[in-house]
Amino acid sequence: MFKKILIANRGEIALRVIRACRELGVATVAVYSEPDQESLHVRFADDDVCIGPGPSRLSYLNIPGIIAAAEITGADAIHPGYGFLAESPEFAEACAESKITFIGPPAEQIRLMGDKAAARKLAKDMGVPVVPGSNGSIENPAEALKTAEEIGFPVIIKAAAGGGGKGMRVADDAESFTHAFQLARNEALAAFGSASVYVEKYLSAPRHIEFQIMGDKHGRVMHVGERDCSVQRRHQKLIEEAPSPGMNKELRARMGDAAVELASSIEYVGAGTIEFLLDEDGRFYFMEMNTRIQVEHTVTEMTTNFDLVKEQIRTVAGEKLSFCLNGGSLRGHAIECRVNAEDPRRDFQPCPGTITAYHPPGGPGVRVDTHIYQGCTIPPYYDSLIAKVIVHGLNREEALARMTQALDSFIVEGVTTTIPFLRAVICHPEFAAGAVDTKFLERHKDLLPAAE
Ligand code: MV4
């Protein structure tokens, strides 16, 4: 096992990783930017190093600074959390060059899965269903149009280096295609430094279903169930749940087998996620693979009772997975709401500031993962996630009641939060019925409070 882990992150996930390290008996090093000096991750870590000023580029994305902090403090491993450098092959390589274990897959696997067109090809070669589309990326507009006509409209053009929605364009017909293709290429180049795009048949209102994968260095790869992350706004997930209300045993077995097959083919170690789209007819298609622990890993922890961050650290250190589940013995239902310091009345504009009053919800089956406290200041530089409220119940009905109760009793003052908006979504009859898909929020604009 590692002796000392540096956490190259901030906020709730830095605290989450520190907790896992504590339980494993591993020492911790926090890194922080100047405005994060008073943050809890700095206080709770055994050691801490300031790595630069507020802007991420100068601190949490500063590879030489983070490697130097690990060397100075004698850390033998780095946990990247999610976001920031979690899926940077260059960072994984820098760790390897300094003989520090990166808690994630090897750089080559990050690079492979970061190329969405290449990942799609791998899935296809493994016999995992993919949405009908181009074989790899297409550069030539005329060739792309030909492919689009073969697939049939509408089609979606996606950035190969993308993920998360940037550089994506939908084209409804041949007339609009060439323009959309150009726009997608330009956007991809500006956002990712690569104009490489690929084309897929556009599914009108699929569910976003992802399978949590865990692998070890002893040849075991398994899945620990799925999550439904269909409720998103501008490709940001807002609510996630496990299991998916659109799932059944038979479909879980087929999708889970496909996910395990894909992860096994690259001998995946640690925590990973295979994302699928599920259409109205129950057909599923591979979308992409994430090679990190995700924000929403918590709902899977609630339905499995396994500490996925501890397992991720243990398996990367070479230990065997401490359980064999593969989709069996899931219990109850879990839901997560992401609470952001944002104003839904102002197009979800971030609301940094000082928390003047704070009281978290509690009771049976309620978990809050957060880094905020009364008196703390939310800096303007980073993601506006301030807390994750996670509930677990015997069934979905109980989980929904618990989430409503929890959101109603969550006191956060001083900054505007999305708590009332989340409550409205949870209590919406269509959400309550489990009828969620990726168009849910677009269909229910009434959930967005009008500007005052
Ligand atoms: C799609 C799609 C429909 N058809 N691909 C959005 C994020 C990026 N990872 C892929 N996305 C989508 N890909 C095909 N072929 C619809 C979306 C999509 C979406 C997916 C999941 C959750 C919310 C979404 C919102 C809009 C579009």
Side-chain angles (χ1 to χ4, degrees), residues 156 158 200-203 208 232 235 277 287-288 438:
I156 184 165
K158 296 182 177 181
E200 282 181 353
K201 175 95 191 156
Y202 180 67
L203 309 176
H208 171 125
Q232 305 192 7
H235 307 297
L277 294 174
M287 189 158 55
E288 47 193 78
T438 54

Side-chain angles (χ1 to χ4, degrees), residues 3 66 80 86 97 110 130 150 159 178 184 221-222 230 246 257 319 372 399 447:
K3 298 222 154 20
I66 293 167
E97 276 160 27
I110 301 176
V130 296
E150 280 163 17
T178 306
V221 178
M222 64 182 165
S230 297
D257 283 352
E319 294 185 8
I372 68 166
L447 283 165

